[in-house]
Amino acid sequence: MKNTSFKLASAGVLALAMSGCSSILTNHTNDYQYAVSNTTKLQEPPGSLQVRDDLVIPNASEIPDIKKTGKFVTPRAPFIFYPMTKIPVSSEPDRMVFDVPAGLDKTKEMIKGFLGALHGQGDAIATDKDNKIISVPFEFEKEGFWASVASTFTRNFPEKTVFAFTFKPSGNDTIVSMQFKQQEQGKDVTSWLSPEKDPKRYTDAVRLWGNLGRQISEASAYLSQRGENSPFPIWVDHRGIFAVHLKTTTDVAAQIKAAGLHFVDGQPNMLAIDKQDTQSSMQLDEQTFPYKIQTQRDGKFLVIDASKVTDPELASFQLVQRFIAK
């Protein structure tokens, strides 16, 4: 019986503890819900500064009023053009030739970098000899799954492009010949051709020209020779867009006229190629091109917009070539 009484007493104590001792301690939960704020005014001593309960913004008087002006538009950074070193380009029936003002090792290094960027992933070089580089087959237009299945049945496989570069030292320069051929399932579909035979491969060659010119200029001892003293009038931005660095000593109209171009009557900020110009390209001589004069720290630049042409990069290349002294 004693054990039973002890167990009952213990259970009673435990139940009392679990109830939160509400019957023993006073509950002050609602004490502050009906409290009244102290309205006693603070008495400041004579001569003290006036107390102000304000948000103080430093230099608030210098901050202009904020007015809603419409939807916010993220400002675009201006295109920055970089100087290029002159790289003469010539054509032969089966190749394009670049006269690169750099040594053999430096030239090969730049070509490899260009092919790596063009390929995108994996090793882009299949053959690397002293005087020749041959790329792996490039698949520029990737096949989807169903197209790949269809090719298995039709035996009509996509063509791949192989590039070849031949190097020939010439004094302090390196003569680089660029060619390409098409392959299907590892078999040659064409012989070695000049990039000029295909607009897409011609565009690749134009990008290479701009890439080499910019890299050599950046590595050159003449990097400080900018602005009016720049020895080559064609500059390029990071996207491969070309611009003509204008001479401040010569009128803009005179420079445009010397390049075989003219302003279009009745159409402001438009240029066209002179019809009587013997250098006129059959693809461009009937077209007009918007232009603008852009100012940078290094001077004024003529930017001709060829984006509406079928092959804009080729058109841009052909247009700026007109400003190079022969």
Side-chain angles (χ1 to χ4, degrees):
M1 285 296 292
K2 291 182 179 179
N3 290 338
T4 303
S5 300
F6 178 76
K7 291 180 180 179
L8 290 173
S10 299
V13 172
L14 180 62
L16 180 62
M18 292 180 65
S19 67
C21 303
S22 60
S23 61
I24 299 176
L25 301 177
T26 303
N27 187 354
H28 294 282
T29 302
N30 298 320
D31 285 2
Y32 296 99
Q33 293 193 13
Y34 306 105
V36 179
S37 63
N38 184 1
T39 58
T40 303
K41 185 177 181 180
L42 180 65
Q43 299 295 327
E44 301 92 353
S48 63
L49 297 175
Q50 183 181 1
V51 177
R52 296 180 58 189
D53 188 15
D54 294 337
L55 174 64
V56 179
I57 302 176
N59 302 316
S61 60
E62 299 178 10
I63 301 175
D65 293 336
I66 299 177
K67 296 181 180 179
K68 189 174 182 180
T69 57
K71 185 178 180 181
F72 177 75
V73 178
T74 304
R76 294 185 177 183
F79 297 132
I80 303 299
F81 295 102
Y82 303 92
M84 289 178 56
T85 294
K86 181 178 181 180
I87 300 180
V89 183
S90 58
S91 299
E92 296 184 11
D94 63 342
R95 66 192 64 203
M96 281 184 70
V97 181
F98 302 87
D99 187 350
V100 182
L104 176 61
D105 292 341
K106 177 63 178 177
T107 302
K108 289 185 67 178
E109 178 185 341
M110 291 187 292
I111 296 292
K112 289 179 182 178
F114 173 77
L115 287 173
L118 196 63
H119 190 237
Q121 59 182 357
D123 192 357
I125 310 298
T127 301
D128 183 3
K129 297 182 178 179
D130 290 341
N131 65 339
K132 195 160 191 174
I133 288 177
I134 299 178
S135 76
V136 298
F138 284 20
E139 186 178 357
F140 289 106
E141 297 181 4
K142 302 293 184 181
E143 269 195 314
F145 173 76
W146 293 113
S148 178
V149 172
S151 296
T152 304
F153 291 98
T154 63
R155 312 305 297 173
N156 183 22
F157 296 96
E159 292 186 353
K160 297 183 179 182
T161 303
V162 180
F163 293 99
F165 294 89
T166 304
F167 306 90
K168 180 181 178 182
S170 177
N172 296 324
D173 296 355
T174 303
I175 307 300
V176 181
S177 298
M178 180 180 183
Q179 298 174 293
F180 82 98
K181 66 180 177 181
Q182 298 297 110
Q183 288 186 345
E184 183 180 304
Q185 287 292 93
K187 296 181 180 180
D188 291 348
V189 177
T190 68
S191 58
W192 288 111
L193 303 170
S194 169
E196 292 179 308
K197 301 296 184 181
D198 183 282
K200 294 182 179 179
R201 304 293 74 86
Y202 196 0
T203 298
D204 294 332
V206 168
R207 292 174 181 170
L208 174 62
W209 180 75
N211 188 283
L212 293 174
R214 176 181 173 181
Q215 287 193 61
I216 295 173
S217 177
E218 290 176 344
S220 172
Y222 297 100
L223 183 59
S224 60
Q225 192 177 19
R226 301 168 72 99
E228 189 63 34
N229 296 320
S230 179
F232 192 55
I234 309 306
W235 292 39
V236 65
D237 74 358
H238 68 283
R239 304 174 305 158
I241 302 298
F242 300 114
V244 180
H245 186 251
L246 297 170
K247 298 179 181 179
T248 57
T249 56
T250 308
D251 182 65
V252 173
Q255 296 180 63
I256 290 176
K257 182 178 180 181
L261 303 172
H262 64 270
F263 299 107
V264 180
D265 294 336
Q267 299 184 47
N269 298 323
M270 297 292 287
L271 291 175
I273 297 174
D274 296 342
K275 291 186 177 181
Q276 68 273 17
D277 187 357
T278 57
Q279 300 181 43
S280 180
S281 169
M282 293 299 293
Q283 295 180 342
L284 303 180
D285 57 5
E286 298 297 327
Q287 308 233 15
T288 58
F289 305 92
Y291 78 91
K292 63 180 177 179
I293 306 296
Q294 184 169 312
T295 302
Q296 277 188 198
R297 177 175 59 88
D298 297 304
K300 293 183 181 295
F301 293 85
L302 171 66
V303 184
I304 304 176
D305 182 5
S307 60
K308 301 299 183 183
V309 181
T310 304
D311 299 304
E313 290 177 277
L314 300 186
S316 176
F317 173 75
Q318 293 170 350
L319 288 166
V320 299
Q321 288 289 313
R322 295 171 164 275
F323 291 86
I324 301 175
K326 304 301 181 184

